[in-house]
Amino acid sequence: MTLALDAAAQDLLFREARTANTFTPEPVTDEQLQAIYDLVKYAPTAFNQQPLRVVLVRSAEARERLLPHMAEGNRPKTATAPAVAILAADNEFHEELPTQFPAFPQAKDVLFAERPVREKSAALNAALQAGYFIIGVRAAGLAAGPMTGFDAAGINKEFFPDGAHTVLAVVNIGKPGENAWYPRSPRLSYDEVVTTL
Amino acid sequence: MTLALDAAAQDLLFREARTANTFTPEPVTDEQLQAIYDLVKYAPTAFNQQPLRVVLVRSAEARERLLPHMAEGNRPKTATAPAVAILAADNEFHEELPTQFPAFPQAKDVLFAERPVREKSAALNAALQAGYFIIGVRAAGLAAGPMTGFDAAGINKEFFPDGAHTVLAVVNIGKPGENAWYPRSPRLSYDEVVTTL
């Protein structure tokens, strides 16, 4: 046993978990979404910044606003997934640092006064948080279908008109339906990815 | 039980896991690092791209090359962690797409012919993979100490002289030592992060 994580959890989160492309109508509850967030919120970021923002598309009206911005091939799954999460980076995350990172409350002004610096930091750390979120969806026994095939400028304008946010991914969430999986693609080997010095 | 993941796994990966700032001398084995990769490699990315590259800093010589590029406050922990992983994005990841994403082998040329497009995609997807990697370190029963406090240009030049890679984070890995933890900082509430439409 090289890993401390039990085999069932390894399967649930990584080995047997797959990106779903169809979904059953079984609802995803608000309680599940809250439990996902309350689990993954603890995972680490730089300076404890928390730039990830989640827009849950639940109503028919919100879905109608989202669908035209999705790539055509992604529309059917986004139209039928019980819940759809728009994951975005809040480029004004620094406003929260005085309370969220009390060890260095000056970080807001000393490190993040400039918008391009914030955008870069938010892009990295919100993407880390997006990775944690996807694992959290699986931890709830649900399938995630993360997508980047959409018109980002269109989603930013439609859902984040304040100009302060950058969409990163859209994630379909639900129980896998019929023919939910494509064949699993290959993965690079350890030696192709890891160099030991 | 709203989550399917068992409570021990929730604690191991999220609730009780903490960013370690000191480490015991107990070695991290190559077998552990391989097991971490062989678990997290399955987590999803866009078009199954796998831009994450890991340079494991193990030897005294490699550590001497890394330390001057770390922020001063990070040097003692990077000097003493049993293993240190430099996580970087490979901006030439598209070369692998014909074998790694056989469903659309043209992606390499149709979508990723231009370097700025690749850099943006690699930054997002390698960051997702970095998030998975940090969870994987915890799955091995080890503590991770991810850091972004370093001279990125210096690390890129020293460890990736081909100009094709962008460092994202440096992660100390090992068993937590004495006084390993700072107090846990607050987290944003569900309602501060999630909007339901």
Side-chain angles (χ1 to χ4, degrees):
Chain A
M1 288 298 294
T2 306
L3 295 177
L5 187 69
D6 62 273
Q10 291 179 36
D11 288 344
L12 180 72
L13 302 183
F14 293 102
R15 295 191 202 282
E16 293 185 359
R18 299 292 312 284
T19 291
N21 295 293
T22 68
F23 298 89
T24 72
E26 190 181 330
V28 173
T29 66
D30 290 340
E31 190 191 6
Q32 285 175 305
L33 293 159
Q34 175 118 29
I36 291 166
Y37 178 72
D38 284 339
L39 180 70
V40 303
K41 69 182 180 186
Y42 293 112
T45 59
F47 298 100
N48 197 37
Q49 66 189 269
Q50 295 158 67
L52 183 71
R53 292 295 175 274
V54 181
V55 175
L56 283 177
V57 174
R58 299 284 246 162
S59 66
E61 184 202 350
R63 213 177 285 250
E64 285 308 309
R65 290 169 57 198
L66 175 60
L67 284 175
H69 302 290
M70 300 304 296
E72 212 168 314
N74 285 333
R75 279 178 208 164
K77 34 195 176 183
T78 296
T80 53
V84 178
I86 303 173
L87 305 187
D90 181 350
N91 297 305
E92 303 300 317
F93 69 87
H94 67 312
E95 298 289 350
E96 293 148 359
L97 287 181
T99 54
Q100 299 302 308
F101 195 61
F104 182 39
Q106 311 91 313
K108 176 193 162 196
D109 299 312
V110 173
L111 298 177
F112 296 112
E114 292 172 26
R115 168 89 182 224
V117 173
R118 295 201 297 275
E119 282 188 5
K120 197 174 170 193
S121 188
L124 171 63
N125 287 282
L128 288 174
Q129 292 186 286
Y132 305 144
F133 181 86
I134 290 166
I135 299 299
V137 170
R138 292 168 164 193
L142 297 167
M147 301 170 292
T148 56
F150 48 72
D151 170 16
I155 289 182
N156 288 340
K157 193 173 165 193
E158 179 69 33
F159 291 93
F160 307 103
D162 66 356
H165 297 74
T166 308
V167 63
L168 297 176
V170 176
V171 184
N172 301 318
I173 303 172
K175 291 279 188 188
E178 283 187 25
N179 302 311
W181 326 120
Y182 301 139
R184 184 169 244 168
S185 294
R187 295 296 190 274
L188 298 177
S189 70
Y190 182 78
D191 291 339
E192 289 171 299
V193 169
V194 180
T195 307
T196 302
L197 297 181
Chain B
M1 288 296 295
T2 306
L3 295 177
L5 187 70
D6 61 273
Q10 292 179 36
D11 288 344
L12 180 71
L13 303 182
F14 293 102
R15 294 190 202 283
E16 292 184 1
R18 300 290 313 282
T19 290
N21 295 293
T22 69
F23 297 90
T24 72
E26 189 181 332
V28 173
T29 66
D30 290 340
E31 189 191 8
Q32 285 175 304
L33 293 159
Q34 175 117 30
I36 292 166
Y37 178 72
D38 284 339
L39 180 69
V40 302
K41 69 181 180 187
Y42 293 113
T45 59
F47 298 100
N48 197 38
Q49 65 189 271
Q50 295 158 67
L52 183 70
R53 293 295 177 273
V54 181
V55 175
L56 283 177
V57 174
R58 300 283 245 159
S59 67
E61 185 202 351
R63 213 177 285 252
E64 285 308 310
R65 290 170 57 199
L66 175 60
L67 284 176
H69 302 291
M70 301 303 298
E72 213 168 313
N74 285 333
R75 279 179 207 162
K77 34 194 177 184
T78 297
T80 52
V84 179
I86 304 173
L87 305 187
D90 181 352
N91 297 306
E92 303 301 316
F93 70 87
H94 67 313
E95 297 290 350
E96 293 147 0
L97 287 181
T99 54
Q100 299 302 308
F101 195 61
F104 182 40
Q106 311 92 310
K108 176 192 164 197
D109 298 312
V110 173
L111 298 177
F112 296 112
E114 291 172 26
R115 168 90 181 224
V117 174
R118 295 201 296 276
E119 282 186 7
K120 199 174 168 193
S121 188
L124 171 63
N125 287 281
L128 288 174
Q129 292 187 285
Y132 305 144
F133 180 86
I134 290 166
I135 300 297
V137 169
R138 294 168 164 193
L142 298 167
M147 300 170 293
T148 54
F150 48 72
D151 170 17
I155 289 183
N156 288 340
K157 193 173 167 194
E158 179 68 34
F159 290 93
F160 307 102
D162 66 356
H165 297 75
T166 307
V167 63
L168 297 176
V170 176
V171 184
N172 301 318
I173 303 172
K175 290 278 187 189
E178 282 186 23
N179 302 313
W181 326 120
Y182 301 139
R184 184 169 245 168
S185 294
R187 296 297 189 273
L188 297 176
S189 69
Y190 182 79
D191 291 337
E192 289 170 299
V193 170
V194 180
T195 306
T196 303
L197 296 181

